[in-house]
Amino acid sequence: MRKITTTLCLIFSILVGSAGVSAQADYQKGVDAYRKSDYATALKQWTIIAEQGDAVAQLNLGTMYYRGQGTPKDNKMAAKWYRLAAKQGYAKAQHSLGLLYENGTGVTKDANSAMKWYKLAAKQGYADASHNLGVMHRVGNSVPQNRQTALKWYKLAAKQGSPHSAFALGLMHSKGDGIPQDYKEAVKWFRLASGWGHIPSQFNLGKFYYFGDGVQKDYVRAHMWWDIVARSGDKAGVETRDTVAKKMTLSQLKKSKKLARECVAKKYKGC
């Protein structure tokens, strides 16, 4: 499998490496066609090299059959191409195949097979796969509910860069969901996810500052986070920001808005 270097249109990868010039040309023709929404041509070009064993092209075909791009939607064909790429060790394909097994899409629903492919992807550092394993164990989706196992997978996913898992960890600690309630630990995870631009986590940080849960009560910080959330168009962020603003002095509002601007400029790091 050739080296993957950049990303195209969500999960499609542009590859370069040791493959022959002809195969690279076929792949690039598919890339160019896909960018122009000429899905039939992209499908044709990627099929040529997918049949030669190219894992990235196989993943792309799986997704196109799943979405019905350039071809009628066909979940069984999607599963076929994902499986071929997954067997070559391609983490994105392993995760995609796991999703199909978890939901019974194009294959017989099978939690064990879903976990098998998720775990293979997770071992390669694919955060979404680790997160999905956490979800399956937390809610008991086709597997015995186990909060401690969920915690393990969420922590791994967060370490791998998943804001969704960091948010889930924040919720589990804030609610005492199968573990002792710990607001300080919840703040830690919400803050991590907030640094990745995760809006629900930013909203919760504002809430924690507003009530003083796990942090010192601070209307300035609460307003700052809710102002950031409100800028995304979130109605709850607008409402809560305006609510706390009524309890603040003009000086506090000025400081909060300055902090919000600085935080956005820093891409939410260290706020």
Side-chain angles (χ1 to χ4, degrees):
M1 181 176 69
R2 290 175 286 173
K3 183 179 179 182
I4 304 157
T5 58
T6 56
T7 301
L8 164 68
C9 297
L10 299 180
I11 74 167
F12 290 94
S13 300
I14 300 174
L15 59 105
V16 296
S18 59
V21 174
S22 177
Q24 289 187 27
D26 287 333
Y27 188 86
Q28 188 58 46
K29 287 177 182 178
V31 170
D32 295 340
Y34 190 87
R35 284 175 171 164
K36 297 174 183 177
S37 298
D38 182 359
Y39 300 129
T41 298
L43 190 80
K44 177 182 177 181
Q45 295 300 141
W46 284 336
T47 298
I48 294 171
I49 56 174
E51 290 177 344
Q52 296 172 11
D54 186 277
V56 178
Q58 290 167 348
L59 171 73
N60 291 359
L61 287 180
T63 302
M64 294 187 78
Y65 277 105
Y66 178 78
R67 293 178 176 175
Q69 293 177 319
T71 178
K73 183 177 175 67
D74 189 333
N75 291 327
K76 289 184 178 181
M77 284 293 288
K80 167 194 168 181
W81 288 112
Y82 283 150
R83 190 184 310 280
L84 288 170
K87 285 183 176 180
Q88 295 194 63
Y90 192 8
K92 285 185 179 182
Q94 291 169 342
H95 171 254
S96 296
L97 187 57
L99 280 172
L100 296 188
Y101 273 112
E102 183 181 355
N103 296 295
T105 304
V107 294
T108 301
K109 188 172 183 178
D110 185 341
N112 289 329
S113 292
M115 288 193 294
K116 166 192 168 182
W117 291 110
Y118 284 154
K119 286 178 181 179
L120 287 170
K123 285 180 181 179
Q124 297 190 66
Y126 201 80
D128 286 346
S130 302
H131 175 76
N132 287 355
L133 285 164
V135 173
M136 289 181 74
H137 286 93
R138 183 177 64 81
V139 303
N141 181 16
S142 302
V143 297
Q145 190 177 52
N146 189 318
R147 296 292 200 280
Q148 290 303 313
T149 301
L151 199 69
K152 179 191 78 171
W153 285 112
Y154 280 147
K155 285 183 177 179
L156 176 61
K159 183 178 180 181
Q160 292 169 336
S162 170
H164 307 296
S165 281
F167 175 67
L169 287 165
L171 289 179
M172 289 181 74
H173 283 95
S174 65
K175 296 179 178 180
D177 183 11
I179 54 177
Q181 188 177 55
D182 188 335
Y183 287 136
K184 288 185 178 180
E185 191 70 7
V187 168
K188 165 189 161 183
W189 292 110
F190 286 142
R191 194 180 301 282
L192 178 63
S194 294
W196 289 322
H198 191 257
I199 294 172
S201 294
Q202 294 172 341
F203 181 86
N204 279 4
L205 268 185
K207 181 180 176 182
F208 275 48
Y209 275 111
Y210 182 81
F211 290 107
D213 292 331
V215 291
Q216 185 174 346
K217 190 172 184 177
D218 188 339
Y219 286 163
V220 171
R221 289 284 172 178
H223 186 277
M224 180 200 80
W225 281 115
W226 285 338
D227 187 31
I228 289 171
V229 173
R231 294 182 188 196
S232 72
D234 187 278
K235 291 182 179 179
V238 173
E239 292 173 358
T240 49
R241 178 198 62 189
D242 294 346
T243 296
V244 70
K246 296 175 182 177
K247 301 182 178 184
M248 298 168 65
T249 64
L250 290 175
S251 176
Q252 287 176 320
L253 285 170
K254 183 177 179 180
K255 180 179 179 180
S256 173
K257 291 178 181 179
K258 180 176 181 292
L259 288 173
R261 289 194 300 271
E262 292 173 348
C263 184
V264 171
K266 294 187 296 183
K267 297 184 179 179
Y268 316 114
K269 304 298 183 184
C271 299

